[in-house]
Amino acid sequence: LKSRDWQAPGNIVDFITTVNRIRRQHRALQLSTNLVFYPADDPHVLLYGKMTPARDDVVFVAVNLDPFATHSARVELPLAELGVGDDQPYRLHELLTDTWQEWRGRGGRITLDPAAEPAAIFHFQR
């Protein structure tokens, strides 16, 4: 056993607590057979999503795979699968920062800074 100082600078206790809370709140994240990867035009950005069979809970996660540099990518979401037309607006609630974005079209640009926000968890809303 190794004793850890949970108050030491750089620990990720708050981040893990937040991610676990988000996982408990979203049924899509509790399923194990619904993981799908989506296009991102920067190889350092990974985008994946999970949704319930009824499409009533949809979550997309973007992760910066480079721990040293900020990366920005244009990502594409499966709008047709979600019943959203290419010209219809939709909202994304970024759950880690509790911010909202309105997008229109097949996707948008995501910027992830590993020093500040290395990942983003979006809850999709029509």
Side-chain angles (χ1 to χ4, degrees):
L1 295 175
K2 184 174 183 175
S3 179
R4 298 203 185 273
D5 180 1
W6 297 109
Q7 305 308 317
N11 76 65
I12 60 172
V13 171
D14 291 338
F15 181 75
I16 296 299
T17 300
T18 300
V19 169
N20 282 334
R21 177 184 48 77
I22 292 167
R23 183 183 47 79
R24 284 190 302 274
Q25 291 174 342
H26 291 277
R27 292 181 329 278
L29 298 175
Q30 298 167 19
L31 302 172
S32 60
T33 59
N34 61 338
L35 177 67
V36 178
F37 292 91
Y38 298 103
D41 68 1
D42 182 324
H44 294 97
V45 175
L46 179 69
L47 178 69
Y48 63 90
K50 297 186 90 176
M51 59 184 80
T52 57
R55 310 289 193 263
D56 58 348
D57 188 32
V58 180
V59 177
F60 296 102
V61 179
V63 180
N64 182 350
L65 301 175
D66 182 347
F68 305 109
T70 298
H71 287 272
S72 181
R74 175 136 178 92
V75 298
E76 289 186 28
L77 304 181
L79 295 187
E81 187 176 346
L82 297 170
V84 176
D86 283 343
D87 61 340
Q88 289 181 292
Y90 52 93
R91 293 175 50 132
L92 296 172
H93 181 200
E94 204 292 306
L95 301 171
L96 293 173
T97 59
D98 193 27
T99 57
W100 291 85
Q101 298 177 22
E102 186 169 303
W103 286 16
R104 182 183 301 266
R106 296 192 60 189
R109 183 151 298 280
I110 296 173
T111 301
L112 300 170
D113 177 357
E117 296 296 332
I121 302 174
F122 296 101
H123 182 227
F124 175 87
Q125 296 186 354
R126 288 176 181 74

